[in-house]
Amino acid sequence: MTQNNSFLNEYNGVALSPILFLKRAVLSHGDYPAVIDNGQQWTWQQYASRCANIAIALQQMGITKGSVVSALLPNIHELLELHYAVPLSGGILNALSIRTDSATLNFIFEQVNPQILVIDKDYLALLEGVSFKKPIAIILVGNTILKKIHAENSTDIPQPIFNHEIFGHEIIQYESLITRYPAETLHFHPIDEQEAISINVTSGTSGHPKIVVYSHRGTYLNAISNILDWDMPKRPSYLWTLPMFHCNGWCFPWTIAARAGTHICIRKFDAAEAIQLMQKHQVTHYCGAPIVHYSLGREAQKQGISFSNNVYGFIAGAPPTEKMFSLLATAGITATHVYGLTETYGPVVVCEDKHDWEALSTTEIVLKQMRQGIVSNLQGEVSVIDEKSGLAVPSDGQSIGEIAIRGNIVAAYGPASHVSSDTTSQWFFTGDLAVIDSDGYIKIIDRKKDIIISGGENISSLELENALSSYPGVLAVAIVAKPDEYWGEVPHAFIELDHQISITEQELDDYICTVVARYKRPKGYTFTSLPRNANGKLLKEALRKLAKNLCPTPKSGPESAKK
């Protein structure tokens, strides 16, 4: 990309937009590796050139101000490129979960009405049950399209074809976009920083997912806030263990550009492959749900690996356990607990270490690190608000309220093209119940819908999950309410064991009574593989349905509670 024919000269940088980061990375570290993906590598100069060429192609295909480009891609370089190419073209990126289904896609496409869909060849089958409002161009990543040859009295045999149409829509090979329009130049649209840069979709653990709109300003601020919260130095090496479609990868496609670092792509998370990449490329940073960190810690333990370079991990989705911190510390990984939602562009609360923690025992430090923490540097306000009074709860570690967020990094609902000032000035209530400790750090007690009210007593599913997770051999725990004739509802534990280890219900019951009040203990245990959504979060709604179908709690009533 030459500076005479690119956005480098056209973009004046008045509006806050992460496009600024790409421009600066090219000027400061143009020859430094930007992306490494399956043996391929591009410098920041080469990466920016590809982004600009794809943006030109998108404009020539009809993308203009406010057009939506949907993408159904794993963590590969093409999705990274679209995080810049789409906004450069004037469009809005809609990154979709690769673990979706046709019904969900139909719902999303009905809402966002994309003009172009970029899809990996492995997910083409999902389009068989999808209908579009209008003709849509399909850009294919991967060279082979499979179609079924229907022969009488024979099975369907997949055959490779190289046509230019599928399901009645035009097909274009992604890589051809790079050289498709050599004589054209990029027409740069002036940016209003509150305009949409991307449209995301909530996880949809129950019911229809929600459409969430991110602005140029919000993504810019959250990208910088990530750097401040993590003390991220220049030229980090970032491994893509977090799904890039989830909250635009917590804005890290733009964060890494702001630091002129290197993206290390991994198509599908595999702990052994991730450890290999971390060693090979001296990875310094990665993000993910607890299961990702736990798997990396166990794999490092299995291989006897402890990283000599500084490796840092962001954990979100559920509080980390003492066992997880221990595994990661042994592997040479420093873990930080963060908290956020799709509606907040990813993390906006961080459990930042305090200097006076150094004098505490390891167990005491971990208990503090398991909390959600304090507001991120550029967010604005995070509070815990009492439902009755509407005021912030006192910092006493006991008064319970709901976490509420307002300020710079709050998104909007619906497929509108702007994030209004009303969105960022009003409280967004998260549905998470929490307390504020005496040091001002927020600690979640439970989700509103997860709190168990048994005989008038509030029982925190999170407290029980944290306690049981520390038992040797337990990989993951989910506590849900089970109907009970006497108490109304009681806790039931779904337990996922590590490596087929044999643990009895009696062992766990004896243990849990040593760490929590006896009345809080689960009144039943089910050992199973826990269901998770595309982002690694436990699907508690599915477990609630299972709990309702379980046998009635034996010996229910006061005598049972005393035992």
Side-chain angles (χ1 to χ4, degrees):
M1 174 170 52
T2 64
Q3 294 189 28
N4 293 327
N5 182 23
S6 75
F7 72 94
L8 290 179
N9 285 333
E10 296 178 53
Y11 185 61
N12 61 20
V14 173
L16 296 183
S17 171
I19 289 175
L20 279 168
F21 304 146
L22 182 59
K23 174 179 179 177
R24 192 176 188 281
V26 172
L27 294 174
S28 64
H29 293 85
D31 294 331
Y32 193 78
V35 183
I36 298 174
D37 184 6
N38 194 29
Q40 296 177 290
Q41 181 171 308
W42 297 270
T43 65
W44 279 104
Q45 180 77 31
Q46 292 167 332
Y47 170 68
S49 179
R50 287 176 63 87
C51 292
N53 287 334
I54 294 164
I56 290 169
L58 293 176
Q59 287 184 341
Q60 294 300 310
M61 293 172 65
I63 296 300
T64 186
K65 197 80 165 174
S67 301
V68 175
V69 177
S70 294
L72 194 55
L73 301 169
N75 282 1
I76 53 180
H77 69 89
E78 288 89 349
L79 187 49
L80 279 172
E81 289 164 358
L82 291 176
H83 274 80
Y84 275 102
V86 174
L88 281 172
S89 72
I92 302 170
L93 176 62
N94 168 224
L96 300 162
S97 169
I98 58 175
R99 302 181 186 95
T100 190
D101 54 55
S102 298
T104 302
L105 286 178
N106 267 320
F107 173 80
I108 295 170
F109 291 153
E110 178 74 21
Q111 301 295 311
V112 306
N113 198 19
Q115 191 165 330
I116 291 175
L117 171 64
V118 185
I119 185 170
D120 187 276
K121 62 182 178 63
D122 288 351
Y123 310 116
L124 279 171
L126 286 171
L127 298 187
E128 292 187 19
V130 172
S131 59
F132 297 95
K133 288 182 178 179
K134 60 183 181 181
I136 184 171
I138 296 178
I139 298 174
L140 183 69
V141 174
N143 295 321
T144 303
I145 304 173
L146 294 179
K147 75 171 184 179
K148 291 182 177 179
I149 307 298
H150 296 277
E152 189 174 354
N153 299 322
S154 69
T155 58
D156 292 340
I157 305 173
Q159 297 289 338
I161 59 173
F162 297 93
N163 64 355
H164 298 283
E165 190 170 302
I166 188 168
F167 303 124
H169 300 284
E170 178 188 4
I171 277 284
I172 298 170
Q173 294 291 339
Y174 180 91
E175 200 60 30
S176 72
L177 300 179
I178 305 299
T179 57
R180 193 175 182 89
Y181 301 99
E184 301 296 336
T185 58
L186 179 64
H187 172 63
F188 189 80
H189 297 278
I191 289 176
D192 174 348
E193 62 185 35
Q194 295 288 27
E195 288 177 331
I197 190 172
S198 66
I199 294 176
N200 283 279
V201 181
T202 58
S203 301
T205 53
S206 62
H208 284 306
K210 293 179 180 178
I211 307 300
V212 181
V213 181
Y214 290 2
S215 69
H216 284 258
R217 174 184 172 84
T219 52
Y220 176 96
L221 291 173
N222 205 35
I224 296 295
S225 200
N226 285 335
I227 295 169
L228 296 173
D229 290 343
W230 224 350
D231 292 326
M232 183 177 276
K234 293 180 180 178
R235 299 182 298 280
S237 179
Y238 182 86
L239 180 64
W240 274 103
T241 49
L242 175 75
M244 215 179 295
F245 60 73
H246 177 46
C247 309
N248 292 113
W250 298 353
C251 294
F252 275 96
W254 299 301
T255 294
I256 301 306
R259 293 278 78 186
T262 304
H263 298 277
I264 312 298
C265 295
I266 178 170
R267 184 180 178 91
K268 180 181 179 181
F269 176 73
D270 175 82
E273 182 183 357
I275 291 291
Q276 183 182 22
L277 290 172
M278 292 171 79
Q279 290 180 299
K280 181 178 180 180
H281 300 294
Q282 293 289 289
V283 165
T284 58
H285 296 78
Y286 73 95
C287 300
I291 187 64
V292 168
H293 295 269
Y294 187 85
S295 299
L296 286 173
R298 284 304 306 266
E299 184 63 30
Q301 182 186 61
K302 177 182 174 182
Q303 296 186 29
I305 292 171
S306 182
F307 296 102
S308 56
N309 63 304
N310 293 325
V311 179
Y312 301 93
F314 263 179
I315 302 176
T321 62
E322 185 171 358
K323 183 199 304 184
M324 186 184 301
F325 274 116
S326 176
L327 275 173
L328 295 176
T330 301
I333 298 172
T334 301
T336 300
H337 185 204
V338 293
Y339 166 83
L341 307 93
T342 302
E343 291 88 345
T344 61
Y345 297 72
V348 291
V349 176
V350 56
C351 193
E352 188 170 310
D353 286 1
K354 289 191 171 187
H355 69 89
D356 57 357
W357 295 357
E358 297 174 4
L360 302 176
S361 68
T362 300
T363 298
E364 290 173 318
I365 292 173
V366 169
L367 288 174
K368 291 186 177 295
Q369 291 175 329
M370 288 168 62
R371 299 177 298 174
Q372 281 57 48
I374 56 176
V375 63
S376 294
N377 280 275
L378 300 183
Q379 162 49 38
E381 287 186 271
V382 175
S383 185
V384 178
I385 296 178
D386 179 77
E387 183 177 7
K388 293 180 179 178
S389 70
L391 302 175
V393 301
S395 299
D396 57 11
Q398 295 181 346
S399 302
I400 299 174
E402 183 175 352
I403 297 178
I405 302 169
R406 68 181 175 190
N408 298 311
I409 312 174
V410 179
Y413 285 127
S417 60
H418 272 74
V419 176
S420 69
S421 58
D422 289 342
T423 301
T424 55
S425 64
Q426 296 177 359
W427 285 115
F428 167 68
F429 286 86
T430 64
D432 286 316
L433 300 177
V435 298
I436 303 177
D437 283 341
S438 59
D439 60 357
Y441 276 47
I442 292 170
K443 180 173 69 176
I444 287 181
I445 300 301
D446 220 332
R447 289 286 294 171
K448 256 188 173 182
K449 60 184 178 182
D450 292 341
I451 199 82
I452 299 165
I453 304 175
S454 185
E457 295 282 356
N458 288 345
I459 300 176
S460 166
S461 65
L462 189 57
E463 180 186 10
L464 291 174
E465 287 164 359
N466 287 336
L468 286 168
S469 293
S470 65
Y471 194 81
V474 173
L475 174 61
V477 182
I479 303 291
V480 299
K482 179 174 67 174
D484 183 90
E485 290 183 2
Y486 186 88
W487 298 110
E489 58 185 19
V490 293
H492 187 88
F494 289 90
I495 308 290
E496 184 173 338
L497 297 180
D498 188 12
H499 294 292
Q500 308 284 323
I501 290 177
S502 178
I503 299 175
T504 67
E505 180 175 335
Q506 189 62 51
E507 285 180 76
L508 291 180
D509 205 49
D510 290 343
Y511 164 73
I512 196 66
C513 290
T514 66
V515 291
V516 301
R518 180 174 288 271
Y519 77 88
K520 296 181 180 180
R521 79 187 194 280
K523 305 307 187 291
Y525 298 82
T526 299
F527 298 95
T528 184
S529 178
L530 299 180
R532 294 178 173 86
N533 68 11
N535 308 320
K537 293 183 181 179
L538 295 175
L539 294 173
K540 282 200 169 181
E541 189 60 35
L543 296 176
R544 288 190 191 95
K545 292 178 181 178
L546 287 176
K548 286 181 180 179
N549 295 325
L550 293 173
C551 297
T553 305
K555 298 181 181 179
S556 183
E559 291 306 313
S560 172
K562 294 176 184 176
K563 292 186 66 176

